[in-house]
Amino acid sequence: DQVLMDDWLVACRSLDGKEKPIQVKLMGERLAVFRNSKGVHSFKDLCIHRGAALSLGEVKNDCLVCPYHAWEYNDEGACVHIPQLPEGRAIPKKAKATAYSCMEKYGYIWVNFSGNEPDLFEHPIMSDDSYHHVIWGPMDVVAKPPRIVENFLDVGHLAVVHMGFLGTDTHR
């Protein structure tokens, strides 16, 4: 949906975005999300050279380094170093990663696919450092969605299934 592609979408939690790149799947697209001294960044998880997953690489000198042939991409996606290229030869202009707009706010890393970068909503309470919000997940659940919803709505099972954690036997 183009409306979603034009907006900011949560890719992952801020604490998940470390210097070591991670793969995130968002809107059917595999992303390599990483952090360097300039902030957080998001690329299509594909090296233009041989199709390796950039998320399997590393960050070196503020560049994302492909794990296959060590091509180095700066935070804008431009290839700035190809180890196999003879000295003095220019890096081809098409040697670049697809970079997406990326920012960190409210404890999340946000990605914008279109590059329009609309204003992100303001949520004053989440900007207040004294406010503690709980981020739960990600979690894999082997169940059908209707069963998961039913589980959250059925408080009668708490004292039976979650004894000692969410219920007691005196409140059955």
Side-chain angles (χ1 to χ4, degrees):
D1 189 332
Q2 193 58 45
V3 171
L4 292 174
M5 299 298 274
D6 288 341
D7 208 350
W8 289 103
L9 303 169
V10 172
C12 61
R13 302 173 298 176
S14 290
L15 59 92
D16 296 328
K18 305 202 186 300
E19 190 172 289
K20 172 77 177 125
I22 62 169
Q23 184 182 84
V24 174
K25 194 168 183 180
L26 185 63
M27 299 295 289
E29 182 79 41
R30 287 182 317 140
L31 307 176
V33 177
F34 67 100
R35 183 184 301 274
N36 66 14
S37 69
K38 299 173 189 174
V40 293
H41 308 281
S42 178
F43 291 171
K44 183 174 188 155
D45 195 13
L46 182 73
C47 179
I48 191 68
H49 179 230
R50 291 284 188 213
L54 292 172
S55 62
L56 298 175
E58 65 177 337
V59 175
K60 177 181 164 188
N61 299 324
D62 274 349
C63 291
L64 183 56
V65 181
C66 175
Y68 198 54
H69 284 107
W71 286 27
E72 296 180 25
Y73 298 94
N74 68 15
D75 47 65
E76 295 176 2
C79 184
V80 295
H81 181 65
I82 299 175
Q84 301 79 12
L85 200 62
E87 192 171 327
R89 186 166 304 167
I91 295 172
K93 292 191 187 323
K94 67 179 182 177
K96 57 184 172 185
T98 301
Y100 299 114
S101 299
C102 194
M103 79 158 115
E104 187 170 17
K105 194 167 184 177
Y106 305 136
Y108 298 99
I109 295 176
W110 302 76
V111 171
N112 175 264
F113 287 103
S114 69
N116 293 338
E117 298 189 15
D119 291 336
L120 185 66
F121 66 92
E122 290 297 321
H123 200 318
I125 196 164
M126 290 185 74
S127 297
D128 182 353
D129 289 336
S130 67
Y131 177 75
H132 299 285
H133 60 279
V134 176
I135 300 174
W136 179 50
M139 176 177 274
D140 291 327
V141 179
V142 184
K144 302 260 186 229
R147 184 65 71 200
I148 296 169
V149 171
E150 177 187 25
N151 188 49
F152 281 103
L153 298 175
D154 179 12
V155 295
H157 84 280
L158 296 177
V160 178
V161 178
H162 305 285
M163 177 79 69
F165 295 102
L166 298 174
T168 65
D169 59 357
T170 59
H171 290 93
R172 283 190 189 197

mmCIF file with all atom_site columns, all heavy atoms in Angstrom, residues 7-12 26 40 42 100-112 120-121 126:
data_model
loop_
_atom_site.group_PDB
_atom_site.id
_atom_site.type_symbol
_atom_site.label_atom_id
_atom_site.label_alt_id
_atom_site.label_comp_id
_atom_site.label_asym_id
_atom_site.label_entity_id
_atom_site.label_seq_id
_atom_site.pdbx_PDB_ins_code
_atom_site.Cartn_x
_atom_site.Cartn_y
_atom_site.Cartn_z
_atom_site.occupancy
_atom_site.B_iso_or_equiv
_atom_site.pdbx_formal_charge
_atom_site.auth_seq_id
_atom_site.auth_comp_id
_atom_site.auth_asym_id
_atom_site.auth_atom_id
_atom_site.pdbx_PDB_model_num
ATOM 1   N N   . ASP A 1 7   ? 4.897  6.563  4.638  1.00 0.00 ? 7   ASP A N   1
ATOM 2   C CA  . ASP A 1 7   ? 4.916  6.968  6.041  1.00 0.00 ? 7   ASP A CA  1
ATOM 3   C C   . ASP A 1 7   ? 6.100  6.327  6.753  1.00 0.00 ? 7   ASP A C   1
ATOM 4   O O   . ASP A 1 7   ? 6.824  5.517  6.202  1.00 0.00 ? 7   ASP A O   1
ATOM 5   C CB  . ASP A 1 7   ? 3.601  6.551  6.720  1.00 0.00 ? 7   ASP A CB  1
ATOM 6   C CG  . ASP A 1 7   ? 3.235  7.452  7.880  1.00 0.00 ? 7   ASP A CG  1
ATOM 7   O OD1 . ASP A 1 7   ? 4.072  8.285  8.296  1.00 0.00 ? 7   ASP A OD1 1
ATOM 8   O OD2 . ASP A 1 7   ? 2.107  7.332  8.386  1.00 0.00 ? 7   ASP A OD2 1
ATOM 9   N N   . TRP A 1 8   ? 6.294  6.693  8.006  1.00 0.00 ? 8   TRP A N   1
ATOM 10  C CA  . TRP A 1 8   ? 7.313  6.074  8.847  1.00 0.00 ? 8   TRP A CA  1
ATOM 11  C C   . TRP A 1 8   ? 6.752  4.794  9.432  1.00 0.00 ? 8   TRP A C   1
ATOM 12  O O   . TRP A 1 8   ? 5.640  4.784  9.954  1.00 0.00 ? 8   TRP A O   1
ATOM 13  C CB  . TRP A 1 8   ? 7.728  7.016  9.971  1.00 0.00 ? 8   TRP A CB  1
ATOM 14  C CG  . TRP A 1 8   ? 8.521  8.187  9.504  1.00 0.00 ? 8   TRP A CG  1
ATOM 15  C CD1 . TRP A 1 8   ? 8.070  9.458  9.339  1.00 0.00 ? 8   TRP A CD1 1
ATOM 16  C CD2 . TRP A 1 8   ? 9.897  8.201  9.144  1.00 0.00 ? 8   TRP A CD2 1
ATOM 17  N NE1 . TRP A 1 8   ? 9.091  10.264 8.888  1.00 0.00 ? 8   TRP A NE1 1
ATOM 18  C CE2 . TRP A 1 8   ? 10.223 9.505  8.763  1.00 0.00 ? 8   TRP A CE2 1
ATOM 19  C CE3 . TRP A 1 8   ? 10.888 7.220  9.093  1.00 0.00 ? 8   TRP A CE3 1
ATOM 20  C CZ2 . TRP A 1 8   ? 11.503 9.870  8.347  1.00 0.00 ? 8   TRP A CZ2 1
ATOM 21  C CZ3 . TRP A 1 8   ? 12.159 7.577  8.693  1.00 0.00 ? 8   TRP A CZ3 1
ATOM 22  C CH2 . TRP A 1 8   ? 12.459 8.895  8.314  1.00 0.00 ? 8   TRP A CH2 1
ATOM 23  N N   . LEU A 1 9   ? 7.510  3.717  9.373  1.00 0.00 ? 9   LEU A N   1
ATOM 24  C CA  . LEU A 1 9   ? 7.096  2.419  9.898  1.00 0.00 ? 9   LEU A CA  1
ATOM 25  C C   . LEU A 1 9   ? 8.135  1.941  10.901 1.00 0.00 ? 9   LEU A C   1
ATOM 26  O O   . LEU A 1 9   ? 9.337  2.120  10.696 1.00 0.00 ? 9   LEU A O   1
ATOM 27  C CB  . LEU A 1 9   ? 6.977  1.398  8.767  1.00 0.00 ? 9   LEU A CB  1
ATOM 28  C CG  . LEU A 1 9   ? 6.027  1.761  7.633  1.00 0.00 ? 9   LEU A CG  1
ATOM 29  C CD1 . LEU A 1 9   ? 6.218  0.809  6.464  1.00 0.00 ? 9   LEU A CD1 1
ATOM 30  C CD2 . LEU A 1 9   ? 4.599  1.720  8.124  1.00 0.00 ? 9   LEU A CD2 1
ATOM 31  N N   . VAL A 1 10  ? 7.685  1.303  11.972 1.00 0.00 ? 10  VAL A N   1
ATOM 32  C CA  . VAL A 1 10  ? 8.619  0.762  12.960 1.00 0.00 ? 10  VAL A CA  1
ATOM 33  C C   . VAL A 1 10  ? 9.298  -0.470 12.363 1.00 0.00 ? 10  VAL A C   1
ATOM 34  O O   . VAL A 1 10  ? 8.630  -1.415 11.947 1.00 0.00 ? 10  VAL A O   1
ATOM 35  C CB  . VAL A 1 10  ? 7.889  0.385  14.267 1.00 0.00 ? 10  VAL A CB  1
ATOM 36  C CG1 . VAL A 1 10  ? 8.827  -0.366 15.210 1.00 0.00 ? 10  VAL A CG1 1
ATOM 37  C CG2 . VAL A 1 10  ? 7.328  1.631  14.946 1.00 0.00 ? 10  VAL A CG2 1
ATOM 38  N N   . ALA A 1 11  ? 10.625 -0.446 12.339 1.00 0.00 ? 11  ALA A N   1
ATOM 39  C CA  . ALA A 1 11  ? 11.395 -1.586 11.849 1.00 0.00 ? 11  ALA A CA  1
ATOM 40  C C   . ALA A 1 11  ? 11.790 -2.503 12.999 1.00 0.00 ? 11  ALA A C   1
ATOM 41  O O   . ALA A 1 11  ? 11.753 -3.717 12.864 1.00 0.00 ? 11  ALA A O   1
ATOM 42  C CB  . ALA A 1 11  ? 12.641 -1.108 11.110 1.00 0.00 ? 11  ALA A CB  1
ATOM 43  N N   . CYS A 1 12  ? 12.187 -1.910 14.125 1.00 0.00 ? 12  CYS A N   1
ATOM 44  C CA  . CYS A 1 12  ? 12.605 -2.695 15.284 1.00 0.00 ? 12  CYS A CA  1
ATOM 45  C C   . CYS A 1 12  ? 12.733 -1.773 16.491 1.00 0.00 ? 12  CYS A C   1
ATOM 46  O O   . CYS A 1 12  ? 12.568 -0.556 16.370 1.00 0.00 ? 12  CYS A O   1
ATOM 47  C CB  . CYS A 1 12  ? 13.929 -3.415 15.012 1.00 0.00 ? 12  CYS A CB  1
ATOM 48  S SG  . CYS A 1 12  ? 15.317 -2.319 14.654 1.00 0.00 ? 12  CYS A SG  1
ATOM 49  N N   . LEU A 1 26  ? 10.175 -5.953 6.560  1.00 0.00 ? 26  LEU A N   1
ATOM 50  C CA  . LEU A 1 26  ? 9.156  -4.918 6.723  1.00 0.00 ? 26  LEU A CA  1
ATOM 51  C C   . LEU A 1 26  ? 8.481  -4.692 5.376  1.00 0.00 ? 26  LEU A C   1
ATOM 52  O O   . LEU A 1 26  ? 9.164  -4.441 4.374  1.00 0.00 ? 26  LEU A O   1
ATOM 53  C CB  . LEU A 1 26  ? 9.814  -3.631 7.225  1.00 0.00 ? 26  LEU A CB  1
ATOM 54  C CG  . LEU A 1 26  ? 8.939  -2.456 7.572  1.00 0.00 ? 26  LEU A CG  1
ATOM 55  C CD1 . LEU A 1 26  ? 7.997  -2.805 8.733  1.00 0.00 ? 26  LEU A CD1 1
ATOM 56  C CD2 . LEU A 1 26  ? 9.791  -1.250 7.955  1.00 0.00 ? 26  LEU A CD2 1
ATOM 57  N N   . VAL A 1 40  ? 21.384 5.658  13.142 1.00 0.00 ? 40  VAL A N   1
ATOM 58  C CA  . VAL A 1 40  ? 20.853 4.400  12.620 1.00 0.00 ? 40  VAL A CA  1
ATOM 59  C C   . VAL A 1 40  ? 20.597 4.529  11.126 1.00 0.00 ? 40  VAL A C   1
ATOM 60  O O   . VAL A 1 40  ? 20.297 5.610  10.627 1.00 0.00 ? 40  VAL A O   1
ATOM 61  C CB  . VAL A 1 40  ? 19.555 3.971  13.356 1.00 0.00 ? 40  VAL A CB  1
ATOM 62  C CG1 . VAL A 1 40  ? 19.849 3.602  14.795 1.00 0.00 ? 40  VAL A CG1 1
ATOM 63  C CG2 . VAL A 1 40  ? 18.487 5.033  13.274 1.00 0.00 ? 40  VAL A CG2 1
ATOM 64  N N   . SER A 1 42  ? 19.279 2.152  7.382  1.00 0.00 ? 42  SER A N   1
ATOM 65  C CA  . SER A 1 42  ? 18.581 0.997  6.842  1.00 0.00 ? 42  SER A CA  1
ATOM 66  C C   . SER A 1 42  ? 18.830 0.908  5.337  1.00 0.00 ? 42  SER A C   1
ATOM 67  O O   . SER A 1 42  ? 18.624 1.885  4.613  1.00 0.00 ? 42  SER A O   1
ATOM 68  C CB  . SER A 1 42  ? 17.086 1.119  7.121  1.00 0.00 ? 42  SER A CB  1
ATOM 69  O OG  . SER A 1 42  ? 16.400 0.032  6.566  1.00 0.00 ? 42  SER A OG  1
ATOM 70  N N   . TYR A 1 100 ? 17.365 3.497  2.693  1.00 0.00 ? 100 TYR A N   1
ATOM 71  C CA  . TYR A 1 100 ? 16.051 4.029  3.051  1.00 0.00 ? 100 TYR A CA  1
ATOM 72  C C   . TYR A 1 100 ? 16.209 5.033  4.184  1.00 0.00 ? 100 TYR A C   1
ATOM 73  O O   . TYR A 1 100 ? 17.138 4.916  5.002  1.00 0.00 ? 100 TYR A O   1
ATOM 74  C CB  . TYR A 1 100 ? 15.117 2.903  3.495  1.00 0.00 ? 100 TYR A CB  1
ATOM 75  C CG  . TYR A 1 100 ? 14.859 1.871  2.418  1.00 0.00 ? 100 TYR A CG  1
ATOM 76  C CD1 . TYR A 1 100 ? 15.311 0.579  2.558  1.00 0.00 ? 100 TYR A CD1 1
ATOM 77  C CD2 . TYR A 1 100 ? 14.168 2.211  1.261  1.00 0.00 ? 100 TYR A CD2 1
ATOM 78  C CE1 . TYR A 1 100 ? 15.081 -0.374 1.575  1.00 0.00 ? 100 TYR A CE1 1
ATOM 79  C CE2 . TYR A 1 100 ? 13.937 1.275  0.268  1.00 0.00 ? 100 TYR A CE2 1
ATOM 80  C CZ  . TYR A 1 100 ? 14.400 -0.011 0.433  1.00 0.00 ? 100 TYR A CZ  1
ATOM 81  O OH  . TYR A 1 100 ? 14.181 -0.941 -0.555 1.00 0.00 ? 100 TYR A OH  1
ATOM 82  N N   . SER A 1 101 ? 15.311 6.000  4.235  1.00 0.00 ? 101 SER A N   1
ATOM 83  C CA  . SER A 1 101 ? 15.329 6.963  5.336  1.00 0.00 ? 101 SER A CA  1
ATOM 84  C C   . SER A 1 101 ? 15.124 6.213  6.645  1.00 0.00 ? 101 SER A C   1
ATOM 85  O O   . SER A 1 101 ? 14.325 5.277  6.716  1.00 0.00 ? 101 SER A O   1
ATOM 86  C CB  . SER A 1 101 ? 14.210 7.997  5.155  1.00 0.00 ? 101 SER A CB  1
ATOM 87  O OG  . SER A 1 101 ? 14.391 8.706  3.956  1.00 0.00 ? 101 SER A OG  1
ATOM 88  N N   . CYS A 1 102 ? 15.841 6.635  7.658  1.00 0.00 ? 102 CYS A N   1
ATOM 89  C CA  . CYS A 1 102 ? 15.807 5.911  8.926  1.00 0.00 ? 102 CYS A CA  1
ATOM 90  C C   . CYS A 1 102 ? 15.994 6.907  10.068 1.00 0.00 ? 102 CYS A C   1
ATOM 91  O O   . CYS A 1 102 ? 16.772 7.865  9.941  1.00 0.00 ? 102 CYS A O   1
ATOM 92  C CB  . CYS A 1 102 ? 16.933 4.886  8.913  1.00 0.00 ? 102 CYS A CB  1
ATOM 93  S SG  . CYS A 1 102 ? 16.852 3.630  10.174 1.00 0.00 ? 102 CYS A SG  1
ATOM 94  N N   . MET A 1 103 ? 15.282 6.713  11.161 1.00 0.00 ? 103 MET A N   1
ATOM 95  C CA  . MET A 1 103 ? 15.453 7.554  12.339 1.00 0.00 ? 103 MET A CA  1
ATOM 96  C C   . MET A 1 103 ? 15.121 6.763  13.593 1.00 0.00 ? 103 MET A C   1
ATOM 97  O O   . MET A 1 103 ? 14.482 5.710  13.530 1.00 0.00 ? 103 MET A O   1
ATOM 98  C CB  . MET A 1 103 ? 14.591 8.802  12.258 1.00 0.00 ? 103 MET A CB  1
ATOM 99  C CG  . MET A 1 103 ? 13.134 8.567  12.610 1.00 0.00 ? 103 MET A CG  1
ATOM 100 S SD  . MET A 1 103 ? 12.338 10.075 13.100 1.00 0.00 ? 103 MET A SD  1
ATOM 101 C CE  . MET A 1 103 ? 11.172 10.260 11.798 1.00 0.00 ? 103 MET A CE  1
ATOM 102 N N   . GLU A 1 104 ? 15.548 7.300  14.699 1.00 0.00 ? 104 GLU A N   1
ATOM 103 C CA  . GLU A 1 104 ? 15.313 6.662  15.990 1.00 0.00 ? 104 GLU A CA  1
ATOM 104 C C   . GLU A 1 104 ? 14.506 7.616  16.860 1.00 0.00 ? 104 GLU A C   1
ATOM 105 O O   . GLU A 1 104 ? 14.878 8.780  17.028 1.00 0.00 ? 104 GLU A O   1
ATOM 106 C CB  . GLU A 1 104 ? 16.665 6.359  16.638 1.00 0.00 ? 104 GLU A CB  1
ATOM 107 C CG  . GLU A 1 104 ? 16.603 5.559  17.884 1.00 0.00 ? 104 GLU A CG  1
ATOM 108 C CD  . GLU A 1 104 ? 17.982 5.099  18.317 1.00 0.00 ? 104 GLU A CD  1
ATOM 109 O OE1 . GLU A 1 104 ? 18.997 5.652  17.841 1.00 0.00 ? 104 GLU A OE1 1
ATOM 110 O OE2 . GLU A 1 104 ? 18.030 4.177  19.136 1.00 0.00 ? 104 GLU A OE2 1
ATOM 111 N N   . LYS A 1 105 ? 13.373 7.126  17.368 1.00 0.00 ? 105 LYS A N   1
ATOM 112 C CA  . LYS A 1 105 ? 12.533 7.963  18.229 1.00 0.00 ? 105 LYS A CA  1
ATOM 113 C C   . LYS A 1 105 ? 11.585 7.080  19.033 1.00 0.00 ? 105 LYS A C   1
ATOM 114 O O   . LYS A 1 105 ? 11.126 6.055  18.525 1.00 0.00 ? 105 LYS A O   1
ATOM 115 C CB  . LYS A 1 105 ? 11.729 8.962  17.389 1.00 0.00 ? 105 LYS A CB  1
ATOM 116 C CG  . LYS A 1 105 ? 11.096 10.074 18.199 1.00 0.00 ? 105 LYS A CG  1
ATOM 117 C CD  . LYS A 1 105 ? 10.598 11.190 17.306 1.00 0.00 ? 105 LYS A CD  1
ATOM 118 C CE  . LYS A 1 105 ? 10.063 12.317 18.171 1.00 0.00 ? 105 LYS A CE  1
ATOM 119 N NZ  . LYS A 1 105 ? 9.637  13.454 17.375 1.00 0.00 ? 105 LYS A NZ  1
ATOM 120 N N   . TYR A 1 106 ? 11.314 7.486  20.250 1.00 0.00 ? 106 TYR A N   1
ATOM 121 C CA  . TYR A 1 106 ? 10.386 6.787  21.152 1.00 0.00 ? 106 TYR A CA  1
ATOM 122 C C   . TYR A 1 106 ? 10.803 5.355  21.450 1.00 0.00 ? 106 TYR A C   1
ATOM 123 O O   . TYR A 1 106 ? 9.978  4.491  21.716 1.00 0.00 ? 106 TYR A O   1
ATOM 124 C CB  . TYR A 1 106 ? 8.957  6.777  20.592 1.00 0.00 ? 106 TYR A CB  1
ATOM 125 C CG  . TYR A 1 106 ? 8.379  8.130  20.257 1.00 0.00 ? 106 TYR A CG  1
ATOM 126 C CD1 . TYR A 1 106 ? 7.692  8.322  19.073 1.00 0.00 ? 106 TYR A CD1 1
ATOM 127 C CD2 . TYR A 1 106 ? 8.518  9.210  21.121 1.00 0.00 ? 106 TYR A CD2 1
ATOM 128 C CE1 . TYR A 1 106 ? 7.137  9.558  18.758 1.00 0.00 ? 106 TYR A CE1 1
ATOM 129 C CE2 . TYR A 1 106 ? 7.982  10.449 20.804 1.00 0.00 ? 106 TYR A CE2 1
ATOM 130 C CZ  . TYR A 1 106 ? 7.294  10.617 19.630 1.00 0.00 ? 106 TYR A CZ  1
ATOM 131 O OH  . TYR A 1 106 ? 6.757  11.837 19.307 1.00 0.00 ? 106 TYR A OH  1
ATOM 132 N N   . GLY A 1 107 ? 12.099 5.057  21.362 1.00 0.00 ? 107 GLY A N   1
ATOM 133 C CA  . GLY A 1 107 ? 12.565 3.709  21.654 1.00 0.00 ? 107 GLY A CA  1
ATOM 134 C C   . GLY A 1 107 ? 12.472 2.747  20.482 1.00 0.00 ? 107 GLY A C   1
ATOM 135 O O   . GLY A 1 107 ? 12.634 1.541  20.650 1.00 0.00 ? 107 GLY A O   1
ATOM 136 N N   . TYR A 1 108 ? 12.221 3.285  19.287 1.00 0.00 ? 108 TYR A N   1
ATOM 137 C CA  . TYR A 1 108 ? 12.094 2.457  18.087 1.00 0.00 ? 108 TYR A CA  1
ATOM 138 C C   . TYR A 1 108 ? 12.966 3.011  16.969 1.00 0.00 ? 108 TYR A C   1
ATOM 139 O O   . TYR A 1 108 ? 13.304 4.192  16.944 1.00 0.00 ? 108 TYR A O   1
ATOM 140 C CB  . TYR A 1 108 ? 10.641 2.429  17.589 1.00 0.00 ? 108 TYR A CB  1
ATOM 141 C CG  . TYR A 1 108 ? 9.679  1.836  18.566 1.00 0.00 ? 108 TYR A CG  1
ATOM 142 C CD1 . TYR A 1 108 ? 8.897  2.642  19.384 1.00 0.00 ? 108 TYR A CD1 1
ATOM 143 C CD2 . TYR A 1 108 ? 9.550  0.454  18.692 1.00 0.00 ? 108 TYR A CD2 1
ATOM 144 C CE1 . TYR A 1 108 ? 8.019  2.090  20.295 1.00 0.00 ? 108 TYR A CE1 1
ATOM 145 C CE2 . TYR A 1 108 ? 8.669  -0.102 19.595 1.00 0.00 ? 108 TYR A CE2 1
ATOM 146 C CZ  . TYR A 1 108 ? 7.905  0.719  20.394 1.00 0.00 ? 108 TYR A CZ  1
ATOM 147 O OH  . TYR A 1 108 ? 7.045  0.175  21.299 1.00 0.00 ? 108 TYR A OH  1
ATOM 148 N N   . ILE A 1 109 ? 13.274 2.160  16.006 1.00 0.00 ? 109 ILE A N   1
ATOM 149 C CA  . ILE A 1 109 ? 13.934 2.578  14.775 1.00 0.00 ? 109 ILE A CA  1
ATOM 150 C C   . ILE A 1 109 ? 12.860 2.567  13.689 1.00 0.00 ? 109 ILE A C   1
ATOM 151 O O   . ILE A 1 109 ? 12.197 1.553  13.481 1.00 0.00 ? 109 ILE A O   1
ATOM 152 C CB  . ILE A 1 109 ? 15.111 1.654  14.414 1.00 0.00 ? 109 ILE A CB  1
ATOM 153 C CG1 . ILE A 1 109 ? 16.196 1.791  15.486 1.00 0.00 ? 109 ILE A CG1 1
ATOM 154 C CG2 . ILE A 1 109 ? 15.653 1.978  13.022 1.00 0.00 ? 109 ILE A CG2 1
ATOM 155 C CD1 . ILE A 1 109 ? 17.372 0.865  15.317 1.00 0.00 ? 109 ILE A CD1 1
ATOM 156 N N   . TRP A 1 110 ? 12.696 3.706  13.052 1.00 0.00 ? 110 TRP A N   1
ATOM 157 C CA  . TRP A 1 110 ? 11.652 3.922  12.047 1.00 0.00 ? 110 TRP A CA  1
ATOM 158 C C   . TRP A 1 110 ? 12.280 3.991  10.660 1.00 0.00 ? 110 TRP A C   1
ATOM 159 O O   . TRP A 1 110 ? 13.362 4.541  10.483 1.00 0.00 ? 110 TRP A O   1
ATOM 160 C CB  . TRP A 1 110 ? 10.927 5.236  12.325 1.00 0.00 ? 110 TRP A CB  1
ATOM 161 C CG  . TRP A 1 110 ? 10.291 5.341  13.680 1.00 0.00 ? 110 TRP A CG  1
ATOM 162 C CD1 . TRP A 1 110 ? 10.926 5.574  14.869 1.00 0.00 ? 110 TRP A CD1 1
ATOM 163 C CD2 . TRP A 1 110 ? 8.910  5.217  13.985 1.00 0.00 ? 110 TRP A CD2 1
ATOM 164 N NE1 . TRP A 1 110 ? 10.007 5.604  15.885 1.00 0.00 ? 110 TRP A NE1 1
ATOM 165 C CE2 . TRP A 1 110 ? 8.758  5.390  15.380 1.00 0.00 ? 110 TRP A CE2 1
ATOM 166 C CE3 . TRP A 1 110 ? 7.771  4.978  13.216 1.00 0.00 ? 110 TRP A CE3 1
ATOM 167 C CZ2 . TRP A 1 110 ? 7.534  5.338  16.013 1.00 0.00 ? 110 TRP A CZ2 1
ATOM 168 C CZ3 . TRP A 1 110 ? 6.537  4.930  13.852 1.00 0.00 ? 110 TRP A CZ3 1
ATOM 169 C CH2 . TRP A 1 110 ? 6.431  5.106  15.241 1.00 0.00 ? 110 TRP A CH2 1
ATOM 170 N N   . VAL A 1 111 ? 11.569 3.440  9.667  1.00 0.00 ? 111 VAL A N   1
ATOM 171 C CA  . VAL A 1 111 ? 12.045 3.444  8.278  1.00 0.00 ? 111 VAL A CA  1
ATOM 172 C C   . VAL A 1 111 ? 10.967 4.052  7.391  1.00 0.00 ? 111 VAL A C   1
ATOM 173 O O   . VAL A 1 111 ? 9.775  3.836  7.597  1.00 0.00 ? 111 VAL A O   1
ATOM 174 C CB  . VAL A 1 111 ? 12.376 2.007  7.801  1.00 0.00 ? 111 VAL A CB  1
ATOM 175 C CG1 . VAL A 1 111 ? 12.658 1.971  6.313  1.00 0.00 ? 111 VAL A CG1 1
ATOM 176 C CG2 . VAL A 1 111 ? 13.555 1.449  8.586  1.00 0.00 ? 111 VAL A CG2 1
ATOM 177 N N   . ASN A 1 112 ? 11.420 4.838  6.420  1.00 0.00 ? 112 ASN A N   1
ATOM 178 C CA  . ASN A 1 112 ? 10.532 5.395  5.410  1.00 0.00 ? 112 ASN A CA  1
ATOM 179 C C   . ASN A 1 112 ? 11.065 4.968  4.045  1.00 0.00 ? 112 ASN A C   1
ATOM 180 O O   . ASN A 1 112 ? 12.188 5.303  3.688  1.00 0.00 ? 112 ASN A O   1
ATOM 181 C CB  . ASN A 1 112 ? 10.483 6.924  5.523  1.00 0.00 ? 112 ASN A CB  1
ATOM 182 C CG  . ASN A 1 112 ? 9.671  7.551  4.422  1.00 0.00 ? 112 ASN A CG  1
ATOM 183 O OD1 . ASN A 1 112 ? 10.217 7.983  3.419  1.00 0.00 ? 112 ASN A OD1 1
ATOM 184 N ND2 . ASN A 1 112 ? 8.374  7.598  4.597  1.00 0.00 ? 112 ASN A ND2 1
ATOM 185 N N   . LEU A 1 120 ? 7.044  12.840 11.780 1.00 0.00 ? 120 LEU A N   1
ATOM 186 C CA  . LEU A 1 120 ? 6.586  11.743 12.624 1.00 0.00 ? 120 LEU A CA  1
ATOM 187 C C   . LEU A 1 120 ? 5.677  12.337 13.689 1.00 0.00 ? 120 LEU A C   1
ATOM 188 O O   . LEU A 1 120 ? 5.922  13.442 14.178 1.00 0.00 ? 120 LEU A O   1
ATOM 189 C CB  . LEU A 1 120 ? 7.776  11.032 13.272 1.00 0.00 ? 120 LEU A CB  1
ATOM 190 C CG  . LEU A 1 120 ? 7.442  9.791  14.088 1.00 0.00 ? 120 LEU A CG  1
ATOM 191 C CD1 . LEU A 1 120 ? 6.894  8.684  13.183 1.00 0.00 ? 120 LEU A CD1 1
ATOM 192 C CD2 . LEU A 1 120 ? 8.672  9.275  14.813 1.00 0.00 ? 120 LEU A CD2 1
ATOM 193 N N   . PHE A 1 121 ? 4.644  11.619 14.043 1.00 0.00 ? 121 PHE A N   1
ATOM 194 C CA  . PHE A 1 121 ? 3.697  12.106 15.036 1.00 0.00 ? 121 PHE A CA  1
ATOM 195 C C   . PHE A 1 121 ? 4.425  12.483 16.329 1.00 0.00 ? 121 PHE A C   1
ATOM 196 O O   . PHE A 1 121 ? 5.465  11.927 16.655 1.00 0.00 ? 121 PHE A O   1
ATOM 197 C CB  . PHE A 1 121 ? 2.624  11.053 15.327 1.00 0.00 ? 121 PHE A CB  1
ATOM 198 C CG  . PHE A 1 121 ? 3.161  9.806  15.994 1.00 0.00 ? 121 PHE A CG  1
ATOM 199 C CD1 . PHE A 1 121 ? 3.189  9.700  17.378 1.00 0.00 ? 121 PHE A CD1 1
ATOM 200 C CD2 . PHE A 1 121 ? 3.630  8.748  15.244 1.00 0.00 ? 121 PHE A CD2 1
ATOM 201 C CE1 . PHE A 1 121 ? 3.685  8.570  17.998 1.00 0.00 ? 121 PHE A CE1 1
ATOM 202 C CE2 . PHE A 1 121 ? 4.127  7.609  15.847 1.00 0.00 ? 121 PHE A CE2 1
ATOM 203 C CZ  . PHE A 1 121 ? 4.156  7.514  17.235 1.00 0.00 ? 121 PHE A CZ  1
ATOM 204 N N   . MET A 1 126 ? 5.821  9.947  25.568 1.00 0.00 ? 126 MET A N   1
ATOM 205 C CA  . MET A 1 126 ? 6.891  9.020  25.227 1.00 0.00 ? 126 MET A CA  1
ATOM 206 C C   . MET A 1 126 ? 8.242  9.723  25.111 1.00 0.00 ? 126 MET A C   1
ATOM 207 O O   . MET A 1 126 ? 9.284  9.085  25.126 1.00 0.00 ? 126 MET A O   1
ATOM 208 C CB  . MET A 1 126 ? 6.561  8.264  23.943 1.00 0.00 ? 126 MET A CB  1
ATOM 209 C CG  . MET A 1 126 ? 5.432  7.282  24.157 1.00 0.00 ? 126 MET A CG  1
ATOM 210 S SD  . MET A 1 126 ? 5.071  6.259  22.731 1.00 0.00 ? 126 MET A SD  1
ATOM 211 C CE  . MET A 1 126 ? 6.445  5.120  22.749 1.00 0.00 ? 126 MET A CE  1
#
